[in-house]
């Protein structure tokens, strides 16, 4: 009987690993997700989500739900992003399993854990930037330049001093997926203008590799059964 149970478990795990899989990926993570795919040797199809939707959780939720409805030929969907303002709440899975990293946003995903992000924040108030965030449709530098055109230099500087009063550092994430020194040069003006200390912070694609390969322990990933609805109680982070 024990031998039969062990064989059944192996067959079940083999089935799970061979399930037809689709990735929903945030454009903010494009460099890192493509690197993780190369490292794992996997070639799952990716549906990209615009990074600017992070600023409007309701629109992001609607976009994700629309994307779910359009997936008809997969047994598993890996969501390469975080909960992002609880934008995944109330989403209904299709006829497939959904797996989402248990993190608040893409920055935490690259830092590796909620705990590490909190530790960095305790050391010094940090505004995080990655190459993906800087290249996004809406980012702090684009918003600053827009405000400067609308309100002028002095008023914008005063406004952002208030907005960023709890921040001391501009943390540039080094994920190993792009030339970090070039990114440091590109963000030096941003740090100086926002009156923040520029600092390079180590990050990685390790969490994304875990998402691609599994297994998916409950402490690190939210697993949603086919046709189930994601509830608020599902979105704990620790």
């Amino acid at each position: 009987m024990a031998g039969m149970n062990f064989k059944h478990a192996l067959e079940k795990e083999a089935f799970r690993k061979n399930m037809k899989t689709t990735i929903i990926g945030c454009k903010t993570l494009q460099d890192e997700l493509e690197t993780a795919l190369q490292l794992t040797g996997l070639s799952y199809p990716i549906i990209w989500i615009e990074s600017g939707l992070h600023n409007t959780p309701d629109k992001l939720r609607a976009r994700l739900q629309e994307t779910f409805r359009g997936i008809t030929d997969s047994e598993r969907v890996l969501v390469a992003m975080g909960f992002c303002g609880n934008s995944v709440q109330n989403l209904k899975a299709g006829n497939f399993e959904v797996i989402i990293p248990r993190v608040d946003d893409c920055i935490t995903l690259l830092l590796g854990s909620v705990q590490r992000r909190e530790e960095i924040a305790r050391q010094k108030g940090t505004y995080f930037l990655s190459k993906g965030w800087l290249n996004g449709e809406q980012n702090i530098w684009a918003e600053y330049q827009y405000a400067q055109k609308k309100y002028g230099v002095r008023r914008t500087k005063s406004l952002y001093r208030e907005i960023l009063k709890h921040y001391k550092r501009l943390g540039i994430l080094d994920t190993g997926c792009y030339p970090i020194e070039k990114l440091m040069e590109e963000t030096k003006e941003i740090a100086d203008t926002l009156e923040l200390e520029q600092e390079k912070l180590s990050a990685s694609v390790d969490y994304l590799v875990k998402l691609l390969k599994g297994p998916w322990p409950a402490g690190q990933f939210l697993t949603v059964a086919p046709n189930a609805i994601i509830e608020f109680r599902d979105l704990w982070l620790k």
Side-chain angles (χ1 to χ4, degrees):
M1 181 65 71
M4 288 295 291
N5 289 339
F6 180 68
K7 181 180 179 182
H8 177 71
L10 287 177
E11 290 174 347
K12 185 177 180 180
E13 181 60 23
F15 172 75
R16 281 177 57 81
K17 287 184 177 179
N18 292 321
M19 290 170 70
K20 189 168 183 181
T21 300
T22 294
I23 300 171
I24 295 176
C26 173
K27 287 286 286 185
T28 301
L29 295 171
Q30 183 168 352
D31 289 315
E32 288 79 12
L33 183 54
E34 290 177 348
T35 297
L37 283 166
Q38 291 173 7
L39 290 173
T40 59
L42 297 169
S43 56
Y44 299 141
I46 304 174
I47 301 171
W48 293 108
I49 300 294
E50 308 92 314
S51 59
L53 291 175
H54 284 78
N55 295 331
T56 50
D58 288 341
K59 290 182 179 179
L60 177 55
R61 182 181 298 110
R63 177 77 168 87
L64 288 169
Q65 190 65 75
E66 177 189 8
T67 303
F68 280 3
R69 284 195 291 266
I71 298 173
T72 59
D73 60 348
S74 290
E75 298 160 298
R76 175 187 292 132
V77 171
L78 305 177
V79 180
M81 55 184 281
F83 293 163
C84 300
N86 289 349
S87 59
V88 300
Q89 184 181 343
N90 298 326
L91 288 179
K92 182 180 180 181
N95 293 319
F96 44 76
E97 177 182 72
V98 178
I99 298 174
I100 310 173
R102 200 176 283 281
V103 295
D104 51 345
D105 62 21
C106 297
I107 292 294
T108 303
L109 186 59
L110 297 178
L111 290 173
S113 69
V114 175
Q115 292 78 9
R116 179 156 186 255
R117 181 168 184 160
E118 290 177 346
E119 179 184 344
I120 292 172
R122 281 195 300 270
Q123 294 169 357
K124 189 181 294 186
T126 304
Y127 193 99
F128 299 96
L129 269 185
S130 67
K131 180 174 177 287
W133 275 110
L134 192 60
N135 291 343
E137 301 93 344
Q138 295 178 333
N139 60 66
I140 191 170
W141 189 231
E143 291 170 354
Y144 186 94
Q145 292 173 315
Y146 172 80
Q148 191 168 265
K149 289 179 182 178
K150 186 173 183 178
Y151 303 116
V153 174
R154 291 182 61 185
R155 188 176 175 189
T156 299
K157 188 170 284 291
S158 176
L159 175 65
Y160 271 79
R161 278 184 183 142
E162 179 63 22
I163 292 173
L164 299 172
K165 64 182 178 182
H166 298 299
Y167 295 94
K168 302 296 183 184
R169 169 171 58 185
L170 185 68
I172 311 302
L173 299 194
D174 181 8
T175 63
C177 301
Y178 37 76
I180 189 60
E181 294 309 323
K182 181 181 179 182
L183 184 60
M184 293 295 285
E185 291 175 7
E186 292 174 355
T187 54
K188 180 67 166 60
E189 181 184 359
I190 301 174
D192 291 344
T193 302
L194 299 179
E195 300 176 358
L196 298 173
E197 302 170 19
Q198 186 194 41
E199 186 174 336
K200 179 170 60 177
L201 298 174
S202 63
S204 75
V205 300
D206 291 352
Y207 214 138
L208 287 169
V209 168
K210 292 177 185 177
L211 173 66
L212 296 176
K213 293 178 64 177
W216 301 278
Q220 292 182 296
F221 297 93
L222 170 63
T223 300
V224 184
N227 300 302
I229 295 175
I230 301 175
E231 300 182 18
F232 178 74
R233 64 186 179 183
D234 297 321
L235 304 183
W236 60 274
L237 293 177
K238 295 183 181 179

